[in-house]
Amino acid sequence: MSKRTERVADLIRREMADLLMRKLRDPRLGFVSVTGVEITGDLSSAKIWLSSLDGAEKRKEIVQVLTKAAPFLRHELAPRLGLREVPELRFAYDESIERGARVEDLLRRLNQGEQFPDDEEDA
């Protein structure tokens, strides 16, 4: 990734977080965090990674709400980014925080001496 694409991705991350907090007032979103942005080299498309305190139950709904709001968000981003063309916005739910919490919980339980069956998948 070039320095320019890194700068644009970081700017999109900051501005998108601000837009979600201040401009997009949809009660279905709850508290949504922008965890990262991946942008193509030609700046035509940006994948915005999100997480939520609401967890896995609402992830589909959050992505659907933001996908529907993408034209509005692009319009709002345009003056903030100062680019000739604003990238196409795609949204994806970032599960890494939940996975990390699960691993941390398993490690804590192991450290306390809890035993797990070999075939346990959903511990």
Side-chain angles (χ1 to χ4, degrees), residues 55-103:
E57 306 82 46
K58 291 191 71 175
R59 77 177 86 178
K60 270 187 178 176
E61 184 177 25
I62 289 168
V63 170
Q64 287 173 345
V65 167
L66 291 173
T67 299
K68 273 191 169 180
F72 168 77
L73 294 168
R74 283 184 77 198
H75 175 77
E76 291 291 320
L77 276 175
R80 295 173 178 226
L81 297 181
L83 297 174
R84 207 174 309 141
E85 221 170 292
V86 177
E88 181 83 25
L89 302 177
R90 295 176 306 142
F91 297 93
Y93 196 84
D94 184 357
E95 298 174 3
S96 63
I97 293 171
E98 292 166 10
R99 274 195 312 263
R102 176 162 160 59
V103 168

Side-chain angles (χ1 to χ4, degrees), residues 20-21 24-33 51-54 58 62:
L20 293 177
M21 188 171 62
L24 200 61
R25 293 188 178 99
D26 191 315
R28 295 173 293 178
L29 291 178
F31 182 77
V32 175
S33 297
S51 71
S52 171
L53 292 177
D54 295 328
K58 291 191 71 175
I62 289 168

